[in-house]
Amino acid sequence: MSDIKKGRRASAATEGEEKKSFKEQLGALKNLPKFFRLIWETSKRMTIGNLLLRLVKAAIPLSMLYVAKLIIDEVIRLIDVTDGGNLSYLWILVALELGLALLSDIINRGITLLDSLLGDLFSNRTSISLIEHAAKLDLAQFEDATFYDKLERARRQTVTRVVLMSQVLSQVQDVITIAFLAVGLVAFNPWLILILLVAVVPSFLGESHFNERTYSLSRSWTPERRELDYLRYIGASDETAKEIKTFNLSGFLSGRFKTLSDRYYYLNKSLIVRRAIWGTLLSAIGTLAYYGAYVFILFQTVAGAITVGTLTFLAGSFNNMRGLLQGIMTRFSQIAESALYLQDLFDFLELQPQITPPANPLPIPRPIQHGFTFENVGFKYHNSERWAVRHLSFHLKAGEKLALVGENGAGKTTLVKLLARLYEPTEGRILLDGTDLRDYDLNDLRHQVGIIFQDYVRFQMSASDNIAIGQISNISDSERIQTSARKSLADNVIQRLPGKYEQVLGKRFNKGVELSGGEWQKVALARAYMREAQLLILDEPTSALDARAEHEVFQRFSELIQGKTAVLISHRFSTVRMADRILFLEQGQLKELGSHEELLAKNGKYAELFTLQARGYL
């Protein structure tokens, strides 16, 4: 329990630091025009229809109360008439009230329908915007924990903020309804409006206070919530099941989850208990004020100042206005809270990449004439003091096959990401045919570079789609997809699947088929053949294969890309020796560069490691 108490104190401190004031809540309402602009752009017709229905609905409560007043007064009049009187007027009023009730129900269903449809469309639209915007951002941004917190909060808004639209429209509708009802109350006694404010303002202030506390707690716990989601996932996942069982990790993971979740529970428990207590007290004030006004109206009726029908009208108006005002006040706090969360979505969509195309970009040369030149290139990751690579100067010739070797952490993957301009050099520059890489069209450059990383994604899609990802614009070109599969030897794997190229890979979805590591690698390699790129990069995508299989894959790759520039990364020296030249990296710096024979003749670090590895096969 001591850990929990410590967590309560630490998180309470964070909560205090991030607590949003009422003024900031009001300031968050500036997000609403932008929010409704997005809704308007989602569907103009549905938005207009929704507003018109709510406008009509706003007038119905006053109309029904007034008709009810007329009915009661008419009934009392008929009672006093000795001959029974004519009932036709009474039935007209009853029919009118029935019509209003039916109309109200129809409008309610219409509003619910439009809210649902418009909400779904808006959720889809914002999800698409999120996906498209995330694709524009830099790879380095995705490797920053703070960025991930923003992304997580923004992702939640695509589905949880849809209710905000209905809340704001309901708010407008209720304000119009109150305006109609207020006319009747003011005509009778303006002091009733003041009593109304006494009834609802305390409750409103209490809701505002606790809403801002809830937001602060939720925001400050974004990293912990991500950790809880992660623990929940790895604790029950097909991808981690083997390790969980083998290393008996269930107790460790569940214990860690319990400690973290309990810390949040006790913080949240304290908050909601205080909210319930204060909410009850403040609500009682409102109830007392309402019944004070009700007693006043009863005295006026008994004194003969107003009719019984007017009593029901005023009591109903007051009660409706009290409920509407309380709803407006409470909903205002909810809207302000939602607007605060909505800021997370807009903050993410306003993030801009650092790697951007120039004002007048140059097209990538076709074909590349001279190749890529690194001039004293260095790169440091965000929030890191250590250089991942530094003082890199070398020339990758057009049509050359260059192998990168070095121990783990030497900077090989960083180098190829710089080459593909997934990263921007911290210092130095990279030239393509003598022109700085930053002067070229970024999309054109990415189109002309094909990379298969070691940690390639195993998409839970069809085999055909998995391969087409290499050149997604050709997703309908089945002949090209199958040709790429034959080149990578993935065709032999796919032909054995029940659904052939339409077979869904992976076990996430129904009837999906899981592949072995080697089979997945052949599918991933087919993506490289899909892309008609001038520069192809293989970043250890065959690491799960044995030495002979990897050598065969690289040999085939080398033969199939004749005339193209290629960069190969592998830890196996027997494989990289087929490259035209080998670049040996050590601690982010170029140690040796030359052909296999040249590096062996130098008898340096490459020769030493090659000899050590060769002995392992004796």
Side-chain angles (χ1 to χ4, degrees):
M1 184 64 70
S2 60
D3 287 341
I4 294 173
K5 289 180 179 178
K6 290 178 183 177
R8 291 165 70 180
R9 287 196 297 269
S11 295
T14 306
E15 177 190 348
E17 290 171 4
E18 298 206 21
K19 178 181 173 183
K20 299 295 180 183
S21 68
F22 179 69
K23 183 178 179 181
E24 288 174 304
Q25 278 192 308
L26 286 176
L29 297 179
K30 70 180 185 298
N31 294 320
L32 293 181
K34 189 187 299 184
F35 174 66
F36 273 93
R37 188 159 54 247
L38 290 176
I39 292 175
W40 174 258
E41 292 169 356
T42 298
S43 175
K44 297 180 179 64
R45 290 171 58 188
M46 285 190 186
T47 305
I48 292 172
N50 203 322
L51 290 171
L52 289 176
L53 285 178
R54 288 179 182 275
L55 183 62
V56 175
K57 175 74 171 115
I60 289 179
L62 176 65
S63 303
M64 292 192 70
L65 283 170
Y66 189 73
V67 171
K69 165 197 164 355
L70 295 177
I71 289 174
I72 292 173
D73 285 343
E74 180 65 9
V75 168
I76 292 174
R77 187 188 70 81
L78 291 172
I79 291 173
D80 292 337
V81 176
T82 56
D83 60 357
N86 188 348
L87 299 178
S88 58
Y89 179 57
L90 176 63
W91 301 132
I92 290 173
L93 291 174
V94 172
L96 181 58
E97 187 176 46
L98 173 63
L100 288 171
L102 292 174
L103 179 62
S104 177
D105 183 63
I106 292 171
I107 291 175
N108 278 337
R109 293 182 183 278
I111 290 172
T112 301
L113 174 64
L114 288 177
D115 278 358
S116 178
L117 294 176
L118 196 54
D120 285 346
L121 287 176
F122 177 75
S123 179
N124 295 342
R125 177 190 173 90
T126 51
S127 295
I128 291 170
S129 297
L130 191 74
I131 293 170
E132 291 177 342
H133 189 70
K136 297 175 184 177
L137 300 176
D138 301 332
L139 181 62
Q141 289 173 285
F142 283 87
E143 296 166 346
D144 177 40
T146 303
F147 169 84
Y148 250 104
D149 288 343
K150 291 180 180 179
L151 176 59
E152 177 64 19
R153 289 195 293 264
R155 188 184 289 120
R156 290 173 184 269
Q157 307 320 308
T158 60
V159 292
T160 59
R161 290 310 106 194
V162 172
V163 71
L164 177 61
M165 174 194 69
S166 180
Q167 287 178 326
V168 175
L169 291 177
S170 296
Q171 196 82 326
V172 173
Q173 174 187 320
D174 287 353
V175 168
I176 296 173
T177 301
I178 285 176
F180 284 129
L181 295 172
V183 173
L185 287 181
V186 170
F188 172 69
N189 194 321
W191 286 102
L192 289 175
I193 299 297
L194 181 61
I195 295 175
L196 270 177
L197 294 177
V198 172
V200 299
V201 168
S203 179
F204 164 68
L205 295 176
E207 286 295 320
S208 297
H209 170 75
F210 284 106
N211 277 337
E212 68 184 35
R213 297 288 295 238
T214 300
Y215 173 80
S216 298
L217 177 61
S218 177
R219 186 179 180 88
S220 66
W221 267 74
T222 299
E224 287 85 351
R225 281 204 315 272
R226 284 204 297 117
E227 184 176 351
L228 285 172
D229 289 342
Y230 177 69
L231 290 171
R232 189 183 294 112
Y233 171 73
I234 64 174
S237 168
D238 60 332
E239 296 179 11
T240 60
K242 296 190 296 295
E243 281 79 1
I244 300 297
K245 291 180 178 296
T246 301
F247 299 116
N248 194 25
L249 297 177
S250 61
F252 165 74
L253 293 174
S254 61
R256 191 164 180 170
F257 184 93
K258 186 178 186 304
T259 300
L260 196 58
S261 60
D262 280 352
R263 284 167 54 194
Y264 184 77
Y265 168 78
Y266 284 108
L267 277 172
N268 197 45
K269 176 186 175 182
S270 173
L271 186 61
I272 60 177
V273 167
R274 282 180 285 140
R275 185 171 195 161
I277 293 172
W278 279 103
T280 301
L281 293 174
L282 295 174
S283 179
I285 295 174
T287 302
L288 290 172
Y290 165 69
Y291 277 94
Y294 189 52
V295 168
F296 174 73
I297 296 172
L298 286 174
F299 273 121
Q300 294 292 307
T301 307
V302 172
I306 58 175
T307 66
V308 175
T310 304
L311 164 67
T312 59
F313 174 76
L314 291 174
S317 295
F318 190 88
N319 190 38
N320 278 2
M321 285 188 69
R322 172 178 171 265
L324 288 170
L325 272 173
Q326 195 160 9
I328 284 174
M329 296 296 190
T330 301
R331 198 185 296 123
F332 174 81
S333 295
Q334 294 171 348
I335 289 171
E337 179 187 4
S338 295
L340 281 168
Y341 285 108
L342 192 64
Q343 185 64 44
D344 296 326
L345 174 63
F346 293 141
D347 283 347
F348 179 80
L349 293 177
E350 288 171 4
L351 286 174
Q352 295 300 318
Q354 299 300 311
I355 302 176
T356 55
N360 299 299
L362 300 173
I364 299 297
R366 289 173 171 77
I368 294 173
Q369 298 292 328
H370 305 292
F372 297 83
T373 303
F374 279 60
E375 291 186 348
N376 196 36
V377 171
F379 177 79
K380 280 197 298 189
Y381 286 94
H382 180 65
N383 291 332
S384 174
E385 294 300 319
R386 189 179 71 85
W387 290 89
V389 294
R390 200 172 195 194
H391 305 311
L392 283 182
S393 295
F394 68 93
H395 180 62
L396 172 60
K397 303 171 187 175
E400 181 181 29
K401 296 175 183 61
L402 178 70
L404 301 181
V405 296
E407 298 177 350
N408 289 333
K412 302 183 296 296
T413 298
T414 301
L415 189 154
V416 297
K417 288 178 179 177
L418 287 165
L419 190 59
R421 211 181 167 208
L422 294 173
Y423 294 153
E424 203 82 282
T426 307
E427 63 181 19
R429 62 177 186 161
I430 303 172
L431 307 178
L432 170 57
D433 280 2
T435 301
D436 196 309
L437 210 57
R438 286 171 283 207
D439 293 334
Y440 288 105
D441 183 276
L442 187 57
N443 289 329
D444 194 21
L445 173 65
R446 301 268 171 82
H447 182 76
Q448 291 300 313
V449 178
I451 309 180
I452 304 298
F453 291 107
Q454 179 180 3
D455 55 348
Y456 57 85
V457 179
R458 301 182 180 191
F459 290 98
Q460 309 285 304
M461 301 177 182
S462 69
S464 177
D465 288 348
N466 259 282
I467 295 171
I469 282 165
Q471 187 67 48
I472 200 64
S473 58
N474 295 104
I475 192 171
S476 301
D477 192 341
S478 58
E479 182 178 347
R480 183 168 178 173
I481 291 170
Q482 293 178 27
T483 299
S484 300
R486 284 191 289 271
K487 288 179 179 180
S488 72
L489 303 180
D491 183 68
N492 296 334
V493 176
I494 295 171
Q495 291 298 338
R496 296 196 298 269
L497 299 176
K500 301 295 189 292
Y501 281 86
E502 296 309 310
Q503 175 65 54
V504 174
L505 304 183
K507 286 291 190 179
R508 184 178 296 271
F509 302 113
N510 189 32
K511 296 183 180 179
V513 174
E514 188 58 83
L515 303 181
S516 68
E519 290 171 335
W520 266 113
Q521 286 176 327
K522 291 175 182 177
V523 171
L525 282 168
R527 298 171 191 165
Y529 294 116
M530 271 295 293
R531 174 157 290 201
E532 293 295 333
Q534 297 191 69
L535 172 64
L536 291 168
I537 301 172
L538 297 186
D539 182 5
E540 298 190 69
T542 57
S543 56
L545 300 177
D546 59 42
R548 181 185 296 276
E550 183 188 70
H551 180 79
E552 290 175 353
V553 166
F554 276 130
Q555 185 70 46
R556 184 176 181 82
F557 180 77
S558 180
E559 293 170 356
L560 289 170
I561 62 166
Q562 287 296 327
K564 294 186 178 182
T565 308
V567 176
L568 316 173
I569 299 179
S570 174
H571 283 289
R572 296 191 178 110
F573 290 80
S574 57
T575 297
V576 301
R577 64 188 298 177
M578 70 178 66
D580 299 322
R581 286 193 302 163
I582 299 166
L583 191 155
F584 187 89
L585 284 170
E586 187 175 61
Q587 296 182 358
Q589 298 193 28
L590 194 158
K591 188 74 173 179
E592 299 173 11
L593 178 61
S595 66
H596 174 70
E597 291 74 17
E598 289 171 345
L599 295 184
L600 286 182
K602 284 184 179 180
N603 200 30
K605 191 66 178 286
Y606 174 86
E608 176 189 345
L609 293 178
F610 176 80
T611 304
L612 284 173
Q613 196 173 98
R615 287 174 183 168
Y617 292 98
L618 296 177

